[in-house]
């Protein structure tokens, strides 16, 4: 069972003009790449205006280069407080007139400032079926609890970590011989399908207002 339940008529939503998105990442960037490829294949009707990273050396940067996406580095170590750091992010997002911000492996807790500045326009992907296994080490938490089904969730970001309204979920089965690496790989395969689809759904919600 690897499942996302799509609306029966879903064939990718069209936006005129394409949805203006920014992606925030701290790590590998495989979700960044999945979004970029979905746009390239004309499935997701969006334009990535920037990749924001907090770590100039993270592998996501290389992926943005190869897709010609502008990179904005905002190193959290240069800011005294989380609020100042988020203010800098807000400044860039506003300058670029971003409609939807996608946290794809963003390893910083965001403050109320960012959440309020982009109410219902900030989304996150988490590697569990929320509300189970919030926070760090979600895949390990699932294994430790011997769950038989796990997966991933895309949700709006709210003031409580991993708790905002759910946009989409995908499930995977957990087998007896699964370990951290194998379960992470299964979940990530689903993330790469779920995230572009959820961006499309969130975009439709935005544009229909
Ligand atoms: C994903 O598993 C996501 O659920 C979590 O961080 C990971 C990012 O992976 N929030 P990548 O950097 O997109 O490969």
């Amino acid at each position: 069972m690897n499942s996302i339940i799509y609306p029966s008529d879903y064939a990718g939503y069209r936006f005129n003009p394409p949805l203006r998105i920014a992606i925030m990442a701290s790590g590998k960037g495989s979700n960044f790449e999945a979004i970029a490829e979905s746009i390239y294949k004309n499935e997701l009707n969006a334009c990535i205006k920037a990749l924001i990273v907090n770590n100039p050396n993270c592998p996501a940067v290389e992926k943005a280069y190869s897709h010609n996406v502008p990179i904005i580095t905002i190193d959290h170590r240069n800011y005294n407080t989380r609020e100042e750091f988020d203010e800098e992010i807000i400044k860039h997002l506003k300058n670029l007139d971003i409609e939807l911000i996608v946290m794809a492996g963003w390893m910083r807790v965001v403050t109320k400032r960012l959440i309020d500045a982009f109410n219902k326009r900030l989304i996150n992907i988490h590697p569990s079926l929320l509300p189970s296994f919030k926070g760090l080490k979600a895949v390990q938490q699932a294994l430790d609890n011997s769950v038989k089904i796990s997966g991933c969730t895309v949700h709006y970001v709210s003031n409580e970590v991993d708790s905002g309204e759910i946009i989409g979920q995908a499930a995977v089965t957990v087998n007896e011989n699964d370990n951290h690496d194998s379960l992470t790989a299964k979940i990530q395969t689903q993330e790469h399908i779920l995230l572009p689809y959820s961006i499309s759904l969130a975009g439709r919600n935005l544009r229909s207002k």
Side-chain angles (χ1 to χ4, degrees):
M1 177 194 62
N2 287 326
S3 60
I4 299 176
I5 299 168
Y6 293 98
S8 55
D9 61 344
Y10 181 73
Y13 300 116
R14 300 283 105 192
F15 301 108
N16 187 16
L19 203 61
R20 293 173 68 85
I21 65 172
I23 299 172
M24 293 166 59
S26 307
K28 212 163 46 138
S30 70
N31 279 287
F32 168 88
E33 194 146 56
I35 297 165
E37 277 165 15
S38 179
I39 293 172
Y40 183 71
K41 286 191 272 179
N42 208 20
E43 290 164 0
L44 174 60
N45 193 203
C47 179
I48 309 174
K49 291 296 171 188
L51 171 73
I52 296 182
V53 296
N54 63 308
N55 170 8
N57 301 318
C58 70
V61 166
E62 287 303 317
K63 304 220 159 95
Y65 272 127
S66 68
H67 286 278
N68 285 321
V69 169
I71 298 149
I72 301 172
T73 302
I74 309 175
D75 191 332
H76 60 278
R77 290 165 292 201
N78 296 336
Y79 299 85
N80 290 327
T81 64
R82 285 186 195 275
E83 282 75 13
E84 281 174 36
F85 174 60
D86 279 1
E87 286 295 347
E88 185 66 17
I89 295 173
I90 293 169
K91 195 179 83 192
H92 286 279
L93 293 170
K94 295 230 158 156
N95 278 344
L96 291 168
D97 200 17
I98 300 299
E99 296 180 270
L100 186 72
I101 302 112
V102 183
M103 288 167 47
W106 181 251
M107 298 308 288
R108 309 291 306 166
V109 172
V110 296
T111 67
K112 195 170 166 349
R113 297 244 180 119
L114 185 61
I115 296 165
D116 289 350
F118 293 95
N119 183 32
K120 281 283 184 136
R121 295 198 286 139
L122 181 60
I123 70 174
N124 179 49
I125 184 153
H126 183 75
S128 77
L129 290 177
L130 291 173
S132 292
F133 314 134
K134 297 175 182 175
L136 294 174
K137 301 192 175 152
V139 175
Q140 192 57 48
Q141 291 185 57
L143 288 169
D144 291 347
N145 283 279
S146 306
V147 298
K148 307 303 175 211
I149 297 169
S150 190
C152 47
T153 303
V154 178
H155 63 94
Y156 289 106
V157 176
S158 68
N159 288 316
E160 235 179 283
V161 174
D162 299 328
S163 298
E165 185 191 331
I166 291 172
I167 300 166
Q169 291 186 306
V172 303
T173 49
V174 186
N175 302 324
E176 261 172 35
N177 45 7
D178 266 322
N179 57 30
H180 189 273
D181 285 353
S182 66
L183 183 54
T184 300
K186 277 193 213 173
I187 292 174
Q188 281 228 314
T189 301
Q190 292 304 303
E191 288 188 342
H192 299 161
I193 303 165
L194 179 68
L195 188 51
Y197 165 63
S198 302
I199 293 170
S200 208
L201 282 184
R204 188 189 55 165
N205 290 343
L206 267 176
R207 288 283 180 95
S208 62
K209 278 189 182 137

